[in-house]
């Protein structure tokens, strides 16, 4: 479990594609400082398991499902990535509950600078848009953000100077692909209501 508060921007230092998988090596001095084999680290919002450590780099395996659901397959050596270690039980939940299970991808449609912020519009599939609510939470490339406006095929977020400077979101061009994870609580509630509405019984006593 993560919070969507990026700890550092790392870098892809090696990328090897297989037929249905990939192996990444990522440089991240902070997240590797206390990492162990088997730990979970969020890479651009994707929860990945550390398979080996070498100095300030770590290796991860990326399976076909993850490649299909996220933009990790489009990374290259030198690509910057947002990194976050799994939240400690004694830590503060600074963002929101983030699983690191990407629901799909979106595309940067526009960027509008403001006085001390930037409004970014993200296009997404309608099946993901249905889970968004204004002032609700969304994770973009591992960054916990508040939804400003929701439309059937897009939504907007406001990026403060800290987010622009300390995550990869500050440099994303229009047209860039981003990983999206909708709020897990909203997703479960919506799915439950859908099942009740279609007559799919769940447990005795459900109304």
């Amino acid at each position: 479990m993560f919070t969507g508060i990026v700890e550092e921007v790392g870098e892809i230092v090696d990328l090897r594609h297989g037929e249905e998988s990939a192996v990444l090596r990522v440089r991240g001095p902070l997240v590797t400082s206390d990492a162990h084999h088997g730990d979970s680290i969020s890479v651009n919002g994707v929860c990945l398991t550390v398979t080996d450590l070498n100095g300030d780099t770590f290796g991860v395996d990326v399976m076909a499902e993850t490649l299909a659901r996220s933009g990790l397959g489009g990374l290259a050596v030198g690509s910057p990535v947002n990194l976050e270690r799994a939240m400690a039980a004694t830590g503060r939940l600074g963002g929101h509950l983030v699983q690191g299970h990407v629901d799909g991808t979106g595309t940067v449609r526009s960027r509008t600078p403001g006085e001390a912020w930037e409004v970014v519009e993200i296009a997404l599939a309608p099946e993901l848009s249905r889970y968004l609510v204004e002032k609700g939470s969304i994770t973009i490339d591992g960054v916990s953000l508040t939804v400003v406006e929701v439309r059937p095929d897009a939504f907007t977020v406001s990026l403060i100077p800290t987010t622009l400077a300390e995550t990869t979101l500050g440099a994303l061009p229009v047209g860039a692909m981003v990983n999206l994870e909708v709020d897990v609580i909203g997703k479960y509630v919506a799915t439950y209501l859908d099942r009740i509405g279609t007559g799919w019984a769940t447990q005795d006593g459900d109304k």
Side-chain angles (χ1 to χ4, degrees):
M1 189 69 70
F2 306 92
T3 71
I5 304 300
V6 172
E7 295 186 277
E8 68 176 326
V9 175
E11 179 186 7
I12 302 297
V13 296
D14 192 28
L15 172 59
R16 302 182 185 184
H17 283 284
E19 290 186 5
E20 295 184 344
S21 64
V23 177
L24 300 180
R25 179 158 292 279
V26 186
R27 177 175 289 113
L30 176 59
V31 298
T32 56
S33 62
D34 62 352
H36 300 88
H37 180 275
D39 283 355
S40 295
I41 294 178
S42 170
V43 179
N44 272 4
V46 181
C47 177
L48 298 173
T49 301
V50 174
T51 57
D52 70 273
L53 293 156
N54 185 2
D56 63 356
T57 71
F58 63 96
V60 291
D61 293 321
V62 185
M63 299 296 99
E65 171 69 7
T66 304
L67 292 172
R69 289 266 188 174
S70 75
L72 292 188
L75 297 176
V77 172
S79 293
V81 287
N82 295 319
L83 301 177
E84 181 191 355
R85 290 168 289 189
M87 181 181 67
T90 55
R92 289 186 173 88
L93 186 60
H96 70 283
L97 293 176
V98 178
Q99 293 184 299
H101 301 165
V102 170
D103 294 297
T105 58
T107 304
V108 178
R109 180 178 285 176
S110 66
R111 304 187 67 118
T112 307
E115 182 180 0
W117 63 89
E118 189 165 349
V119 177
V120 178
E121 181 182 16
I122 306 290
L124 78 169
E127 56 264 31
L128 289 183
S129 180
R130 66 186 295 269
Y131 296 116
L132 303 186
V133 295
E134 292 185 5
K135 305 301 180 279
S137 297
I138 182 73
T139 308
I140 302 176
D141 275 354
V143 183
S144 172
L145 294 165
T146 300
V147 176
V148 175
E149 183 182 2
V150 181
R151 292 188 286 277
D153 65 344
F155 68 97
T156 61
V157 292
S158 292
L159 305 184
I160 62 173
T162 298
T163 304
L164 292 169
E166 298 184 8
T167 76
T168 62
L169 301 188
L172 284 180
V174 171
M177 178 187 294
V178 292
N179 296 325
L180 301 175
E181 180 185 333
V182 299
D183 180 35
V184 63
I185 298 174
K187 184 166 59 175
Y188 275 116
V189 170
T191 300
Y192 178 79
L193 292 175
D194 284 347
R195 291 176 178 176
I196 295 299
T198 57
W200 182 359
T202 53
Q203 297 287 337
D204 290 342
D206 282 345
K207 302 298 183 182

